Amino acid sequence: MAETQAYTAISEALKALGIEAQNPGTSTGSKSMNGGSLLDSVSPVDGSHIASVTQTTPQEYEQVVQTAQEAFKVWRLMPAPQRGEVVRQFNEELRRLKEPLGKLVSYEMGKSYQEGLGEVQEMIDICDFAVGLSRQLHGLTMHSERPGHRMYEQYHPLGIVGIISAFNFPVAVWSWNTALAWVCGDVCIWKPSEKTPLTGIACQKIAARVFAKNKLPEGISCLINGDYKVGELMTQDERVPLISATGSTRMGKQVAQTVGARLGKSLLELGGNNAIIVTPDSDLKMTVIGAVFGAVGTAGQRCTSTRRLIIHESIYDKVKNALVDAYGQLRIGNPLDEKNHVGPLIDTDAVKNYQKALEKVVEEGGKLIVEGGVLEGEGYESGCYVKPAIAEAENHFEIVQHETFAPVLYLMKYSGDVDNAIALQNGVRQGLSSAIMTNNLREAERFLSVAGSDCGIANVNIGTSGAEIGGAFGGEKETGGGRESGSDAWKVYMRRQTNTINYTTELPLAQGIKFDL
Ligand code: UN1
């Protein structure tokens, strides 16, 4: 293993998280499993090989499902507020381990340390939310049309929830699912991204410790590792009633078809192509901060990243110049060094996609106004560091219609009123996040109205990324339609049952039907 400077910085964190640097193995609960081929965790920060992880074999998967099924029998009987208490304890561990876990996220995935900490904070927030929720899994009561009858609905857990998560939010998205699923009484099987297996193992260890301390079965939280083939074992499995998958639209279509073919439920969180509309009434300073953080934060690898800026022609040059200035001040480098704004892309394949996008936009008639390029030399040896780029482009360009997971921002003009900007904003296949920068009430309300943004998230005077956990998170169209995290997203993790109770000595039928014997 290459003992680089960054690796040394992370070794303390690995120790605090209880991970041996080499070959930490795959585990269901605390049991390690062997036999599968190895998956390498390589840091995009400095190219270090951090560890190798065993891939889950079909036989091992079978054991995992059985362990989860057994655990469900116990967990579902525990009153929801007591399950909330276990989630509270898990949250205490997250608070204690926020720094090492944030560091590992930053090192294994490449986002800035601040964003790594932010990601763990997002886990803490959703656990807080879930603890409160554990006393509020409300159903409705309704009036029966029949005398002496009572009618209500209640929510029961589904069983096993399969979670497929992406590299860009390697831990937070898992926790959005697990924290809610656990208080709902479900057990979880998690397949983290094959690009970030180590953060998965770290979280699994934290959870396993908390369940063991409470003398609860280890199968409440299970981990499987591997590529899409391991994911397919879950998506095809009728014993897994809900699959929650985060990733590309291509992957989501596969998951939806496979899960749909067995009439399972899927919760999909797929690609975005998020725009900010910048109107003549916008505040320039706020616009620049919102747009730059949205476009270069997490090196443009959020599903909520800002990909397009739709700027009114009357202020176009002013906004463009301010952005070019701001991009000139960006510091790109080791994300563990807090001076840097932008870390590396996840791997060299992502770098190739970034390069292709820049070539393509020019080919289609666009113009690069901040050129971009791959960084080389000291500190950039991993080959994953790129310069955030800005291109003037048109909405109908194929490359603009496509989500490129990299810091490439497309600028385009609109003229006339805000409806023209809204048409451009909605004129893509994805529908995750959107924003408008304006101090004009009419424009803001129009953007939020039924004739406005068609996205799952629509913000005013805020960028497209950085949603809080309290709202439902997700989007429409090719983004997949799922909602995770806050609001009433918990309902997808439960099955609803309508109960009607007759406390009379008669058996009247609904709809007034007569049936006498
Ligand atoms: C993602 O990119 O998959 O709203 C999730 C945000 C974060 C979550 C992003 N809270 O940008």
Side-chain angles (χ1 to χ4, degrees):
M1 183 189 333
E3 289 275 336
T4 62
Q5 223 180 340
Y7 182 79
T8 314
I10 204 73
S11 59
E12 283 297 305
L14 291 176
K15 213 183 292 160
L17 294 165
I19 302 178
E20 312 86 63
Q22 291 229 335
N23 222 346
T26 306
S27 64
T28 55
S30 54
K31 241 192 278 160
S32 85
M33 305 192 299
N34 293 308
S37 53
L38 291 180
L39 201 63
D40 289 330
S41 167
V42 176
S43 169
V45 173
D46 56 10
S48 289
H49 171 257
I50 318 173
S52 295
V53 171
T54 318
Q55 296 211 49
T56 306
T57 63
Q59 293 74 17
E60 288 166 342
Y61 171 76
E62 200 46 43
Q63 280 169 26
V64 171
V65 172
Q66 281 168 22
T67 316
Q69 281 181 315
E70 285 309 307
F72 178 55
K73 288 187 195 148
V74 177
W75 187 235
R76 68 181 178 179
L77 293 179
M78 195 170 188
Q82 287 183 29
R83 294 194 294 254
E85 163 56 22
V86 179
V87 172
R88 191 193 62 75
Q89 292 174 29
F90 173 67
N91 198 6
E92 270 185 7
E93 281 297 279
L94 292 177
R95 285 176 202 270
R96 186 175 71 80
L97 296 167
K98 181 174 174 182
E99 289 185 9
L101 187 55
K103 220 170 231 179
L104 178 60
V105 167
S106 172
Y107 189 56
E108 190 179 38
M109 181 275 160
K111 65 175 67 178
S112 75
Y113 180 48
Q114 270 306 309
E115 290 186 51
L117 291 176
E119 180 159 355
V120 183
Q121 185 59 45
E122 204 159 321
M123 302 175 82
I124 293 168
D125 294 343
I126 194 71
C127 287
D128 279 345
F129 181 92
V131 175
L133 188 67
S134 71
R135 291 180 185 270
Q136 303 176 69
L137 302 168
H138 300 141
L140 298 171
T141 63
M142 45 288 281
H143 288 267
S144 169
E145 66 188 52
R146 288 166 283 185
H149 283 56
R150 186 163 76 79
M151 198 154 78
Y152 75 108
E153 63 186 15
Q154 58 176 335
Y155 287 86
H156 292 308
L158 285 175
I160 301 177
V161 174
I163 302 161
I164 298 173
S165 62
F167 75 86
N168 63 334
F169 273 78
V171 292
V173 173
W174 168 70
S175 71
W176 291 355
N177 285 281
T178 42
L180 298 193
W182 285 339
V183 297
C184 290
D186 297 313
V187 297
C188 299
I189 302 179
W190 179 25
K191 192 196 92 58
S193 163
E194 62 268 38
K195 295 175 183 175
T196 51
L198 217 49
T199 46
I201 287 174
C203 290
Q204 170 67 11
K205 283 195 182 254
I206 298 170
R209 219 169 34 234
V210 174
F211 288 119
K213 204 172 119 212
N214 286 277
K215 303 197 169 33
L216 286 163
E218 62 179 35
I220 297 169
S221 179
C222 301
L223 182 73
I224 55 177
N225 272 307
D227 60 13
Y228 73 97
K229 287 193 218 94
V230 174
E232 263 172 17
L233 295 172
M234 261 198 317
T235 55
Q236 290 166 351
D237 191 341
E238 284 172 5
R239 295 166 298 182
V240 183
L242 172 66
I243 298 285
S244 171
T246 306
S248 66
T249 295
R250 198 167 56 95
M251 177 280 293
K253 283 182 178 167
Q254 290 274 320
V255 168
Q257 277 174 26
T258 310
V259 178
R262 62 173 172 90
L263 299 184
K265 289 210 266 184
S266 44
L267 194 180
L268 301 174
E269 211 65 80
L270 312 175
N273 193 345
N274 318 298
I276 302 180
I277 296 173
V278 188
T279 75
D281 281 310
S282 58
D283 177 313
L284 184 65
K285 194 167 162 222
M286 282 166 66
T287 299
V288 170
I289 296 174
V292 177
F293 179 73
V296 314
T298 328
Q301 299 172 108
R302 291 192 189 210
C303 51
T304 53
S305 289
T306 307
R307 312 255 172 240
R308 299 174 296 143
L309 278 194
I310 303 166
I311 307 167
H312 194 267
E313 59 182 359
S314 63
I315 51 160
Y316 184 82
D317 286 336
K318 199 163 69 171
V319 175
K320 174 174 130 179
N321 294 338
L323 282 168
V324 173
D325 267 6
Y327 268 54
Q329 289 160 37
L330 289 175
R331 280 187 299 268
I332 307 149
N334 185 339
L336 290 169
D337 178 344
E338 297 206 51
K339 284 198 306 292
N340 292 324
H341 302 105
V342 185
L345 289 176
I346 185 69
D347 55 22
T348 48
D349 283 346
V351 173
K352 283 186 202 128
N353 283 336
Y354 156 89
Q355 287 173 307
K356 265 190 235 150
L358 295 185
E359 280 163 26
K360 193 90 204 290
V361 71
V362 173
E363 244 170 65
E364 289 193 75
K367 184 174 162 217
L368 289 168
I369 55 169
V370 174
E371 289 253 327
V374 181
L375 290 159
E376 284 170 5
E378 204 189 323
Y380 302 131
E381 290 86 354
S382 69
C384 298
Y385 291 85
V386 301
K387 289 194 223 160
I390 305 181
E392 293 184 300
E394 293 195 32
N395 207 48
H396 62 82
F397 288 0
E398 204 195 312
I399 191 66
V400 175
Q401 290 284 318
H402 178 88
E403 179 190 45
T404 302
F405 237 45
V408 180
L409 179 64
Y410 302 115
L411 304 194
M412 57 198 78
K413 276 185 202 165
Y414 78 95
S415 50
D417 74 10
V418 75
D419 282 356
N420 296 330
I422 291 170
L424 287 171
Q425 128 74 40
N426 291 345
V428 290
R429 289 190 298 275
Q430 308 83 347
L432 178 55
S433 186
S434 59
I436 190 167
M437 292 289 181
T438 185
N439 287 322
N440 179 320
L441 179 73
R442 286 194 184 131
E443 284 176 339
E445 290 291 340
R446 181 75 176 165
F447 173 74
L448 301 175
S449 77
V450 63
S453 165
D454 63 4
C455 292
I457 298 171
N459 295 332
V460 177
N461 291 332
I462 297 177
T464 57
S465 65
E468 302 176 17
I469 60 92
F473 182 93
E476 304 301 329
K477 303 195 292 190
E478 282 199 351
T479 302
R483 291 296 185 278
E484 289 178 309
S485 189
S487 184
D488 64 353
W490 61 270
K491 287 184 177 166
V492 76
Y493 302 92
M494 304 200 84
R495 61 186 170 87
R496 186 197 310 228
Q497 187 174 65
T498 302
N499 306 113
T500 311
I501 301 148
N502 175 3
Y503 57 90
T504 70
T505 54
E506 306 292 319
L507 192 60
L509 299 177
Q511 295 87 43
I513 292 171
K514 297 273 173 267
F515 185 79
D516 291 325
L517 291 177

